[in-house]
Amino acid sequence: MEKYKKEFIEFMVKSNVLKFGEFVTKSGRKTPFFINTGNYTTGDQLNKLGEFYATAINKHFGNDIDVLFGPAYKGIPLTVTTAISMNKLYNTNVEYCSNRKEVKDHGEGGILLGAKIDDGSKVVIVEDVMTAGTSIYETAPILKAQGNIDIKGLIISVDRMEMGKTNKSAQAEIKEAFNISTFSIVTMSEVVEYLYMREIDGKIHIDDKVKSAIDAYYEKYGAKNN
């Protein structure tokens, strides 16, 4: 496993972003683990988070990108800190853009805020996590409506590796529906592999009991194919 992946997993745990217990996802599934990027609240955390995203984007897409698009609301700070990190780490000056939840009918108006997206704009979508891909089904049509833009792909922090609306992975469904490829900083398989029986700050977060619950979850919701 690459060094930045290991560092990112520990970063999530120490930031209280990756939790284990009993939770319910946006898609209504009861899950033994949860990733809440809303818990990245400090300047130091956001700075580091942007660097992890920038590293993953550079690896999967290179730097020939015009705009980072962040679905409202969590995608907004993600695109901002990632744009800053791309400039700092790779001397790449990308813009950021996001959608509004409601169309603005005054001032500059419209459904988007930030950079203007035109025909030919090379765009990478920046999200926190993907379970069933709900937010992409909401925002991809908004992007497509802006013109003949080049959506290079979608970058997420953690690939939960589970079914979308069918027995296929959410990423495979997004690829079929919108021709958008998804990449992640880490996968949940990598998270489990790294954290199983590993002590972080004096605590083991994935012991046999937690791993058993995760295994049972994937028996029910794990993607049957990609």
Side-chain angles (χ1 to χ4, degrees), residues 26-27 69-75 98-103 111-112 125 127-130 132-146 151 154 165 170 173-174 177-178 180:
K26 184 177 180 179
S27 56
F69 179 83
Y73 289 102
K74 288 184 179 178
S98 180
N99 63 298
R100 294 185 172 95
K101 287 294 188 179
E102 302 85 20
V103 177
I111 190 69
L112 300 180
I125 304 172
E127 260 278 38
D128 54 354
V129 295
M130 181 188 292
T134 305
S135 67
I136 301 303
Y137 282 94
E138 295 171 353
T139 57
I142 295 173
L143 277 174
K144 298 280 189 179
Q146 305 308 308
I151 301 179
L154 164 67
K165 301 176 185 297
E173 292 176 351
I174 293 297
F178 305 108
I180 297 173

Side-chain angles (χ1 to χ4, degrees), residues 204-224:
I204 293 176
H205 294 268
I206 300 183
D207 54 16
D208 288 330
K209 181 179 179 180
V210 174
K211 188 174 185 302
S212 178
I214 293 173
D215 289 343
Y217 181 79
Y218 279 109
E219 280 293 317
K220 185 174 183 179
Y221 294 116
K224 301 301 184 290

Side-chain angles (χ1 to χ4, degrees), residues 87-140:
N87 182 261
K88 179 174 59 178
L89 297 179
Y90 303 107
N91 197 31
T92 301
N93 198 28
V94 298
E95 298 184 283
Y96 90 94
C97 178
S98 180
N99 63 298
R100 294 185 172 95
K101 287 294 188 179
E102 302 85 20
V103 177
K104 186 177 180 182
D105 59 4
H106 61 280
E108 75 279 17
I111 190 69
L112 300 180
L113 61 88
K116 184 177 180 182
I117 299 178
D118 299 310
D119 283 352
S121 292
K122 295 182 283 291
V123 179
V124 169
I125 304 172
V126 182
E127 260 278 38
D128 54 354
V129 295
M130 181 188 292
T131 303
T134 305
S135 67
I136 301 303
Y137 282 94
E138 295 171 353
T139 57

Side-chain angles (χ1 to χ4, degrees), residues 35-50:
I35 300 107
N36 180 14
T37 56
N39 283 347
Y40 294 122
T41 56
T42 70
D44 182 59
Q45 287 173 333
L46 290 170
N47 178 59
K48 290 178 181 176
L49 180 62

